[in-house]
Amino acid sequence: MTFTVPLLLGAFSIAAYFLLTSPRRSPEVDADADADALTSVLIPAYTSHSRSLPKQSKHAFSYPLLYLGVDVDALESGALDLPGRIVRYGGRPITKLLGLRSDGYLEAGPQGLRAKVERLLDTRGIPRTSVGRIWLVTMPSCFGFEGINPLSTWFVYDNDGRFLCVILEVHNTFGEKHAYVLQTSSSYRDEPGEGYDYSWTFPRSFHVSPFNSRDGYYHLDIVDPFHYGPSASPQIKIFLRQLTPSKTPKLQAVLASHPSRSAIPLNPAHSLRIFTTILRWPLALFLTTPRILYHAYLLHYEKKLAVYPRPEPRTSGVNDKWNPPEQDGEGVGAAVGWKSESWGERTSKRLVETWVTQRAEQLEIGVEVIFRDQRPALRVGGNTSSSEPRSEPLAITTADPKFYTHLLGAPSSEHFMVLAKETLTDISSPEVFSNFFSRAVAPSDSKDSRSIPARAAAVIRSTHLRFLWSHSRIAPTPDLVHPPDNHFINSRPDGQRSLWTDTLVLAVVLQGFLADVAEEWVMRMFGARFLDGQEPWRVWERALRRTYMDERKSTEQDDLGSVLW
């Protein structure tokens, strides 16, 4: 311990020397264009959170943070890059002390920050030509580390400098991103509280905390930090309250400039001050994720709050009956980032799309798979030499991020269709779907002719099905009890066989089975609790209950029709 402090001081001194004396990139910046610009700053800040409902689970905490408040145009021009890479835009995070890069914000891709914001606003009826300055308040990467960025706030002004809108970009621990675009002309605008400039009360639509449902509202009060002129120091103050569907306050969060530490301009004259500020608060940018996990532990195990399973991000046209988002008449909230595609889904997609393309040509019908997120649609077939198609087209619309994986993991098309509603999937014609995903080979193909990986995959599908059924309080219908011997993927429509394809299918099916078993085991091992009835491993119980209820409604309607007739 005696040598720890001197060693750390020596290491930081050496780092400071190289950071402050290494050459700086010299971007070409139009000084006249930025003459009236407010200075971009490093903002010592703090956040505090307080939960008031349910009463037995009251909880509160507060801790310091470091934020950047930057003019997006100045950032992208390179004007904010400081000597020694103390602050730098773009590139790899490990190459700078504090950094920002476009890929971490809004939609994925290499486009610039301004281009992304303008594209988002264009979908909200704000043309690009009316967008002036854009300011971003966010946590940067530090020493190459990019943690969870729970809230980034964009302040957008028109060409005359008038405040146009604020964008709340919210990230969760699942790697998903959501943007709430709040315009000054919105019907959700409210009377601001004392000391604030703008206020809105708007519907919630994003899964952030596992201890909250998606319904209800947010009430936001903000101070406009970037309208005071070049000589002023920006002061951030964001007050966000979560309300129940009846608009009762449930929890509140504040993000504000530190009361005793002023913002530091991002210019070379303040490089040393920026560096020493980071040394004073070395963990402010590293502890976001550990703090989230720590307070989640307290809420779950000490405050006894059950966990809401993660729903898929809200997309247009999806009617999720469980944990639905609040109705949003203006559409202020929208998903802008989804979980990264897993190896299993990428592999499943490649295998299934190849099979579907060949099958569509074999049956001479059109097939369309439309995804309600950012994934491109699959459209094959539909061009036939005959004047009339042999079957009606098949259209599948889904918000399921594991659509292809679930197709390979389901023992049959009938099993997949039972789970379709639970996986946010709509099928135009169950009859066409069942026929399309039946065996595409000649009847002479027997069970014994399958490869060893194909037979192993069939065993795992049956085992997986029994595992899920063991957690269901509702018995399956007789037609589901005995899955067919052969899966559609085992035989290609062109008659060719591939041991490698069968092996990949086995790996995907095994991965899905082990993931479900591991999730259930880990939750039980640590005594964690989902909301009753919403455990992921009880998906078949929910699907069967929905199926029986739909059948009962259909029977009642038929009986009513007979009486009326």
Side-chain angles (χ1 to χ4, degrees):
M1 185 67 183
T2 307
F3 300 99
T4 303
V5 174
L7 284 174
L8 286 174
L9 290 175
F12 283 130
S13 299
I14 294 171
Y17 172 80
F18 283 106
L19 285 168
L20 297 176
T21 59
S22 58
R24 178 196 177 210
R25 182 179 69 181
S26 299
E28 294 182 3
V29 183
D30 186 351
D32 293 334
D34 284 346
D36 296 328
L38 194 64
T39 304
S40 297
V41 289
L42 173 68
I43 306 173
Y46 73 93
T47 185
S48 62
H49 291 240
S50 175
R51 172 184 283 269
S52 56
L53 292 178
K55 291 184 178 180
Q56 67 273 18
S57 302
K58 289 184 177 181
H59 185 64
F61 60 88
S62 180
Y63 51 80
L65 293 169
L66 286 176
Y67 270 73
L68 289 179
V70 296
D71 180 331
V72 167
D73 291 335
L75 179 71
E76 294 189 314
S77 73
L80 303 184
D81 291 350
L82 298 185
R85 296 176 177 267
I86 290 182
V87 176
R88 198 171 184 86
Y89 173 70
R92 298 169 57 192
I94 194 64
T95 62
K96 67 210 76 169
L97 184 55
L98 297 181
L100 294 175
R101 60 192 184 107
S102 170
D103 194 52
Y105 296 91
L106 299 175
E107 61 188 87
Q111 300 90 351
L113 295 174
R114 170 172 279 275
K116 289 184 176 184
V117 172
E118 288 179 345
R119 180 174 175 178
L120 175 63
L121 295 182
D122 193 53
T123 65
R124 298 298 190 277
I126 301 177
R128 299 169 187 239
T129 54
S130 65
V131 178
R133 289 194 178 277
I134 302 173
W135 285 81
L136 171 62
V137 175
T138 186
M139 284 195 296
S141 65
C142 184
F143 290 106
F145 174 76
E146 288 185 319
I148 298 173
N149 213 338
L151 176 65
S152 296
T153 309
W154 304 80
F155 295 85
V156 184
Y157 301 83
D158 66 15
N159 293 314
D160 295 323
R162 292 187 296 265
F163 186 67
L164 195 60
C165 70
V166 63
I167 304 172
L168 302 183
E169 182 179 346
V170 187
H171 296 195
N172 65 18
T173 55
F174 301 102
E176 297 165 336
K177 296 182 283 187
H178 203 78
Y180 293 99
V181 180
L182 303 170
Q183 303 182 42
T184 54
S185 60
S186 171
S187 62
Y188 295 138
R189 190 167 169 186
D190 225 330
E191 191 66 29
E194 184 177 356
Y196 292 92
D197 298 322
Y198 297 95
S199 179
W200 295 264
T201 300
F202 56 99
R204 297 181 64 241
S205 55
F206 186 50
H207 182 70
V208 180
S209 168
F211 308 109
N212 293 318
S213 60
R214 281 193 296 178
D215 57 0
Y217 299 85
Y218 283 129
H219 179 83
L220 173 69
D221 286 297
I222 62 167
V223 168
D224 178 4
F226 302 112
H227 78 287
Y228 294 105
S231 61
S233 177
Q235 297 290 314
I236 59 170
K237 192 174 182 182
I238 302 170
F239 184 20
L240 188 66
R241 280 174 284 185
Q242 182 179 330
L243 313 176
T244 66
S246 61
K247 297 190 176 181
T248 301
K250 184 175 184 179
L251 60 84
Q252 64 184 35
V254 175
L255 173 64
S257 297
H258 198 281
S260 61
R261 296 185 182 275
S262 60
I264 306 171
L266 295 181
N267 60 54
H270 293 85
S271 294
L272 183 59
R273 186 180 170 197
I274 293 171
F275 187 75
T276 54
T277 298
I278 296 171
L279 295 186
R280 286 196 191 100
W281 292 357
L283 299 179
L285 295 169
F286 290 96
L287 292 181
T288 301
T289 300
R291 282 166 172 157
I292 289 173
L293 297 176
Y294 171 69
H295 290 289
Y297 170 85
L298 294 179
L299 288 171
H300 188 56
Y301 290 100
E302 294 192 6
K303 306 295 183 178
K304 307 302 180 184
L305 289 178
V307 172
Y308 284 83
R310 182 191 70 86
E312 293 307 319
R314 176 179 186 169
T315 52
S316 61
V318 174
N319 183 20
D320 191 357
K321 295 183 179 180
W322 177 80
N323 194 8
E326 196 69 36
Q327 291 298 315
D328 182 2
E330 287 190 16
V332 297
V336 292
W338 288 262
K339 291 179 65 176
S340 300
E341 198 173 48
S342 66
W343 172 87
E345 182 62 9
R346 289 195 305 271
T347 304
S348 301
K349 175 184 177 181
R350 187 172 67 253
L351 296 174
V352 172
E353 285 188 348
T354 299
W355 189 94
V356 166
T357 301
Q358 295 177 358
R359 180 64 163 165
E361 293 175 356
Q362 181 188 49
L363 297 181
E364 298 182 0
I365 68 171
V367 178
E368 184 178 53
V369 181
I370 300 174
F371 296 95
R372 296 190 184 276
D373 51 26
Q374 83 286 8
R375 292 173 291 176
L378 169 66
R379 293 182 175 90
V380 296
N383 297 321
T384 64
S385 57
S386 59
S387 58
E388 293 293 334
R390 293 169 55 180
S391 177
E392 65 177 288
L394 175 61
I396 303 170
T397 307
T398 182
D400 181 11
K402 296 182 179 179
F403 171 75
Y404 292 112
T405 304
H406 288 152
L407 262 178
L408 290 185
S412 71
S413 58
E414 284 70 27
H415 290 83
F416 180 87
M417 285 190 289
V418 172
L419 293 176
K421 292 295 184 182
E422 291 298 316
T423 58
L424 306 178
T425 300
D426 294 318
I427 299 169
S428 62
S429 171
E431 294 77 18
V432 175
F433 182 90
S434 181
N435 178 64
F436 186 87
F437 286 100
S438 61
R439 294 172 57 193
V441 295
S444 59
D445 181 44
S446 65
K447 174 182 177 181
D448 294 334
S449 68
R450 292 177 298 166
S451 66
I452 293 176
R455 279 180 278 171
V459 172
I460 294 171
R461 287 189 191 97
S462 298
T463 305
H464 194 177
L465 189 62
R466 289 195 297 271
F467 166 76
L468 295 174
W469 279 351
S470 69
H471 294 285
S472 173
R473 302 169 188 171
I474 302 176
T477 55
D479 59 308
L480 298 174
V481 175
H482 300 291
D485 293 332
N486 256 320
H487 195 273
F488 75 87
I489 200 67
N490 291 339
S491 54
R492 292 172 56 172
D494 59 9
Q496 297 180 3
R497 295 178 177 278
S498 172
L499 181 62
W500 176 242
T501 295
D502 291 346
T503 303
L504 288 176
V505 171
L506 171 61
V508 169
V509 173
L510 180 61
Q511 182 189 58
F513 170 57
L514 293 179
D516 282 356
V517 172
E519 182 176 36
E520 192 261 356
W521 182 82
V522 168
M523 292 295 287
R524 293 188 185 278
M525 174 95 173
F526 289 95
R529 305 172 313 284
F530 281 108
L531 202 66
D532 186 42
Q534 299 304 325
E535 297 86 347
W537 49 85
R538 292 175 64 180
V539 61
W540 266 98
E541 178 179 319
R542 295 190 295 273
L544 291 170
R545 180 181 293 111
R546 187 195 295 259
T547 299
Y548 292 145
M549 289 178 63
D550 290 344
E551 290 178 352
R552 180 181 300 176
K553 289 179 181 178
S554 177
T555 302
E556 290 175 352
Q557 290 175 357
D558 290 343
D559 292 343
L560 178 60
S562 300
V563 171
L564 293 175
W565 179 257

